[in-house]
Amino acid sequence: MTEAKALIRPDRGESAVAIHLVSKDTFEAFAKTLTAGQRTAVAAQKFEGGGYQYAIVPDGDSWFVVSGVANVESLSSWCLAKLAEELPEGLYRLASGDPGPAMFGWVTGQYRFTRYKSEDKSQGPRVLLTGQVGQIDSYVAEAEAEIFLRDLVNAPPEDMGPAELEAECERLAKAHKAELTVVRGDALEQEYPMVHAVGRAAARQHAPRLMHLVWGDPAHPVLAVVGKGVCFDSGGLNIKPGSGMRLMKKDMGGAAHALALAGLAMGARLKVRMHLLVPAVENAISGGAFRPGDILKSRKGLTVEIDNTDAEGRLILGDALTRASEESPDLIVDFATLTGAARVALGPDLPALFARRDETAEAFLAAGKANDDAAWRLPLHDGYREYLASDVADMANSAANPFAGASVAGLFLDRFVGEGIDWVHFDTFAWSPAPKPGRARGGRGLGLRAAWHAIRARYGS
């Protein structure tokens, strides 16, 4: 794929194909400005002004585009995405108005994961020219973060294991002159015992580890970002069926979100002391696998009875959240592809958001809505804490009932976040099961832009 920054350029008046935007309400008036031949061409393409519809209109020896949007005066991130996917390569500009947030979808609409294709049949770049020069960098940065996230999630598990996630953290640290510490082996077993237990059954080249990146002025408020890095989840000894295992390369989607968010924050020189924590494991099956009935000791000192080895993400997050809490952060944000229950409740498009403080939840929800990355809040209901009770340990890792699975998982994590710390948890899907304009089938950011805009508003740059 062409680099994102090459797909949006300042408009210097060069020759470009015009894009005329209309809605169903304004199409009739626009059609009256066309010649009879142009109207015939538009009608032949069955264009009626609906969203994502477009038509190529001949204009002498040249041509222009007419495209339907819901509101010509207020474009969403996705209004131009289908055009970016399907138009011929070349230069384009809006005939009137500014693209604004549609710059994001113009870039992500041209995303293709072709790393493993023997022949890349993608067409050349479609470049959008705009007079909004001051906004190009911010939208391109968000699109680059989204593309980075998608590439991580789309990679096969053999090529995106714990070692490869470590390499991505190293690249991020070098790019922003951050400090990276990686804990493995005996030190991991001592310092992060639940991370070690979940990952210990994996092959040597996929051995578990925890990455801890630190960046920023120590005088600034501490922002901790944590991402679940289960690079492949077999379910462990509570093995998943084949259909449930097929997409488990995306179980490190939380880590991908966390890395992308940290990159955005550091790139914008956000006024924070960043602590990025990524526990990375493969939940494999071997003679060393942890078992139902085992009791694990956590970094926090709490003991956890294993009811189900397929509820492993919350275990590695528990140790990472404990470590994050030790920095007395102003805010912790974590991302995890944590529960099927969240998907049953909200479907693939809406990440579940959990928060201790109403005002923080409202800020994140508003940021998501304003930036086409909506989330939906679910409760951390105290009454459900009893579902994690254990007769032999401080708590169990999985509820012995079918109710409120996403909330119960959130309550498990809540036990490992320091008392009084402001905390937001995204139970995300990190995947598009069906393609939509700007959102190819495969890895996808869900909660990334909501979190980015909320923390940028909170801390400034």
Side-chain angles (χ1 to χ4, degrees):
M1 176 181 164
T2 303
E3 287 190 11
K5 60 186 177 183
L7 300 178
I8 310 284
R9 287 183 4 204
D11 191 342
R12 296 187 171 91
E14 57 264 63
S15 177
V17 176
I19 299 172
H20 295 264
L21 299 180
V22 300
S23 65
K24 285 192 172 182
D25 292 336
T26 65
F27 173 54
E28 184 177 351
F30 174 80
K32 291 178 180 178
T33 69
L34 303 178
T35 67
Q38 288 173 332
R39 286 195 294 272
T40 299
V42 169
Q45 296 171 71
K46 299 182 180 179
F47 180 81
E48 299 176 338
Y52 300 131
Q53 285 188 321
Y54 71 92
I56 303 296
V57 186
D59 189 18
D61 293 333
S62 186
W63 56 281
F64 61 86
V65 181
V66 57
S67 180
V69 296
N71 185 342
V72 174
E73 303 300 325
S74 180
L75 302 187
S76 78
S77 296
W78 316 119
C79 282
L80 304 181
K82 189 170 184 178
L83 300 180
E85 293 175 17
E86 299 187 1
L87 290 175
E89 65 180 274
L91 301 182
Y92 296 87
R93 67 164 58 87
L94 294 186
S96 63
D98 296 311
M103 285 189 260
F104 178 84
W106 184 271
V107 177
T108 62
Q110 297 182 57
Y111 172 82
R112 299 291 184 274
F113 186 71
T114 58
R115 187 181 306 170
Y116 296 87
K117 292 279 190 180
S118 57
E119 183 180 359
D120 184 359
K121 297 181 180 180
S122 301
Q123 60 179 317
R126 282 72 74 198
V127 178
L128 183 66
L129 306 178
T130 176
Q132 292 180 293
V133 177
Q135 297 187 33
I136 293 176
D137 286 348
S138 62
Y139 283 118
V140 167
E142 289 179 39
E144 287 177 330
E146 171 70 16
I147 288 166
F148 168 70
L149 183 161
R150 293 182 187 184
D151 279 347
L152 295 185
V153 175
N154 286 330
E158 184 63 18
D159 294 343
M160 190 49 65
E164 288 75 21
L165 268 186
E166 177 184 334
E168 294 296 340
C169 289
E170 287 176 352
R171 278 190 279 272
L172 194 65
K174 288 179 181 177
H176 299 284
K177 298 181 180 180
E179 177 186 343
L180 178 66
T181 302
V182 182
V183 184
R184 315 178 191 85
D186 292 343
L188 186 74
E189 185 174 7
Q190 293 299 315
E191 297 175 32
Y192 301 93
M194 293 200 295
V195 178
H196 176 268
V198 172
R200 71 191 186 199
R204 185 174 182 180
Q205 67 268 30
H206 298 309
R209 63 206 68 197
L210 182 133
M211 283 74 78
H212 185 180
L213 180 150
V214 181
W215 172 90
D217 188 338
H220 289 159
V222 172
L223 169 66
V225 179
V226 181
K228 173 189 168 184
V230 177
C231 297
F232 186 77
D233 182 18
S234 68
L237 293 177
N238 291 113
I239 189 169
K240 296 176 182 287
S243 59
M245 211 185 296
R246 175 62 181 86
L247 290 181
M248 283 301 100
K249 68 177 185 177
K250 77 173 186 64
D251 213 19
M252 42 63 66
H257 279 73
L259 283 162
L261 179 60
L264 281 168
M266 291 187 288
R269 309 296 298 175
L270 211 65
K271 294 179 180 178
V272 296
R273 177 69 165 174
M274 167 75 69
H275 284 262
L276 169 68
L277 292 115
V278 177
V281 302
E282 179 178 337
N283 187 19
I285 301 172
S286 74
F290 75 121
R291 299 162 287 257
D294 280 350
I295 297 176
L296 305 183
K297 187 175 181 179
S298 67
R299 180 181 179 91
K300 189 170 184 177
L302 293 171
T303 55
V304 180
E305 181 185 10
I306 303 306
D307 181 65
N308 188 329
T309 62
D310 196 23
E312 84 298 332
R314 64 197 69 183
L315 299 171
I316 68 171
L317 283 172
D319 275 352
L321 289 167
T322 297
R323 178 64 187 88
S325 298
E326 291 165 11
E327 297 296 328
S328 300
D330 181 67
L331 175 67
I332 297 177
V333 181
D334 83 69
F335 298 90
T337 51
L338 204 62
T339 69
R343 305 286 66 79
V344 171
L346 302 178
D349 290 345
L350 287 171
L353 181 146
F354 297 85
R356 284 176 166 178
R357 299 180 186 174
D358 291 344
E359 62 273 20
T360 302
E362 289 164 5
F364 276 71
L365 292 171
K369 185 175 181 180
N371 292 281
D372 303 305
D373 188 22
W376 200 268
R377 191 181 186 187
L378 293 181
L380 291 168
H381 177 53
D382 277 343
Y384 296 154
R385 293 186 189 275
E386 64 186 37
Y387 294 164
L388 292 169
S390 166
D391 292 334
V392 293
D394 293 324
M395 60 194 304
N397 77 318
S398 179
N401 66 69
F403 303 122
S407 289
V408 172
L411 289 167
F412 181 93
L413 299 181
D414 181 72
R415 291 288 301 273
F416 296 91
V417 177
E419 185 176 352
I421 293 174
D422 198 2
W423 168 56
V424 174
H425 161 55
F426 282 95
D427 189 336
T428 185
F429 193 40
W431 192 262
S432 283
K436 298 178 181 179
R439 294 147 287 181
R441 180 184 290 110
R444 178 184 168 194
L446 289 160
L448 172 63
R449 297 180 80 201
W452 166 234
H453 284 273
I455 68 168
R456 188 172 69 172
R458 180 165 174 157
Y459 297 109
S461 58

